Amino acid sequence: MATAGTAQAVVDPTQRILLEGNGDDPVVRKTLHQPYWAMQSFAFDHVHGHIYFVQTKVGSKNGDLWVTRTDLSGNVLGAMALHSFDHGSSMGVQPDTFGSPYLWLAGDWRSLDPDSGTPPNSHTIARVKYKDGGLIDYHTSPGVGEFHIGLSDFVDCPRPSIDPYTNRLLVRYMGTTSPWRLALFNLSDVLARGIHDDTPCLAMRALPTNAQLKIAEGDHFQGVAAYGQYAYLSYGAAPAHPSDPPRPSYLFSVDMNRTGGQYTEKFQTHAGDSLPGREPQGLAIWRHSSGPRLAFGFSSKIAVSPDEFQSTVFYKSDLAF
């Protein structure tokens, strides 16, 4: 196993989730705890059968989030508030006790000047314990596990995801050697040593640019997930108005053993095309008794002035080598 600052070892081969394969929609147009805040990401506690959704207020620049706990059909079971935790555009769930896993999110909202007129980007990843009815402030509350990113090619904007089959942490981040990068670590190594150049790293690679993916610059990154040898990414954007036609939404798979602008599969999904104000939000691996599922979410804006939102989750489950 190599360290993050050296050439990377090969990730053992695994099956790949087919993006054009079969699937279903376990969560359809559900209202989360805060109906006026948009869902940004989600992840599964496969041990206890819960989904955790992260919501943010559109236009907010203070890093406040709601986390909503639901059953596997999206029915609300509880919620907690987070302050100064960045945008919530990716997350990981590390199962622990019933209804109280560890959540991994970007934090450090005040890394850059919050008065600059644009939202600051985070420089850290945080690990916190979920609790129904709880409130955690990144800067003042006890129990916030803070992981500074000490990789030599790191700039900012880390986005975490956890592979529930291998217990690995995948981090997407802005880099110096390429615009966006992925790094894959054993979660146990991160907990013991943090995220630094001398932390054992399973794989590190550049991500293709939007031009290399052959998508528009306005097709924004909307989520990342890991299963074995592969990372999965979501891209797209919301229409200008809820009544406008949906904009293109894409899923990609990339092999962690490959490099640069290479990707394995590209798929334009029409799942949820009938949703008003459809915007892709979130990607996660659902560890299920029938096999791994790639779950991808959409936030739909159902009203304006004030904005009101619902959440929908689809998945893909066919596998191939």
Side-chain angles (χ1 to χ4, degrees), residues 5-51:
T6 65
Q8 303 311 306
V10 173
V11 181
D12 291 339
T14 59
Q15 289 179 303
R16 174 171 56 88
I17 301 172
L18 288 173
L19 305 182
E20 62 179 14
N22 294 312
D24 206 346
D25 53 353
V27 177
V28 179
R29 298 193 64 164
K30 291 293 187 178
T31 298
L32 300 178
H33 171 75
Q34 173 50 273
Y36 305 108
W37 292 29
M39 180 259 282
Q40 296 296 303
S41 62
F42 63 95
F44 293 82
D45 182 339
H46 66 277
V47 175
H48 301 109
H50 297 148
I51 311 176

Side-chain angles (χ1 to χ4, degrees), residues 218-287:
D219 293 324
H220 306 301
F221 164 78
Q222 301 286 10
V224 63
Y227 170 61
Q229 178 185 348
Y230 294 92
Y232 299 87
L233 299 116
S234 170
Y235 292 82
H241 189 274
S243 62
D244 291 344
R247 294 179 59 174
S249 174
Y250 301 95
L251 300 172
F252 290 89
S253 59
V254 297
D255 187 340
M256 291 302 296
N257 290 326
R258 301 179 75 184
T259 60
Q262 298 173 321
Y263 61 90
T264 303
E265 186 182 1
K266 172 183 179 180
F267 180 70
Q268 182 177 346
T269 178
H270 292 281
D273 268 358
S274 63
L275 296 171
R278 166 189 182 266
E279 182 176 13
Q281 295 283 13
L283 203 63
I285 298 298
W286 181 2
R287 182 167 177 168

Side-chain angles (χ1 to χ4, degrees), residues 24-30 32 42-53 68-78 93 98 284-291 293 295 311-315:
D24 206 346
D25 53 353
V27 177
V28 179
R29 298 193 64 164
K30 291 293 187 178
L32 300 178
F42 63 95
F44 293 82
D45 182 339
H46 66 277
V47 175
H48 301 109
H50 297 148
I51 311 176
Y52 291 82
F53 292 88
T68 301
R69 181 172 69 94
T70 77
D71 64 17
L72 295 177
S73 297
N75 299 304
V76 174
L77 302 174
V93 165
F98 182 90
I285 298 298
W286 181 2
R287 182 167 177 168
H288 192 269
S289 59
S290 64
R293 296 174 170 181
S311 298
T312 298
V313 175
F314 297 86
Y315 69 79

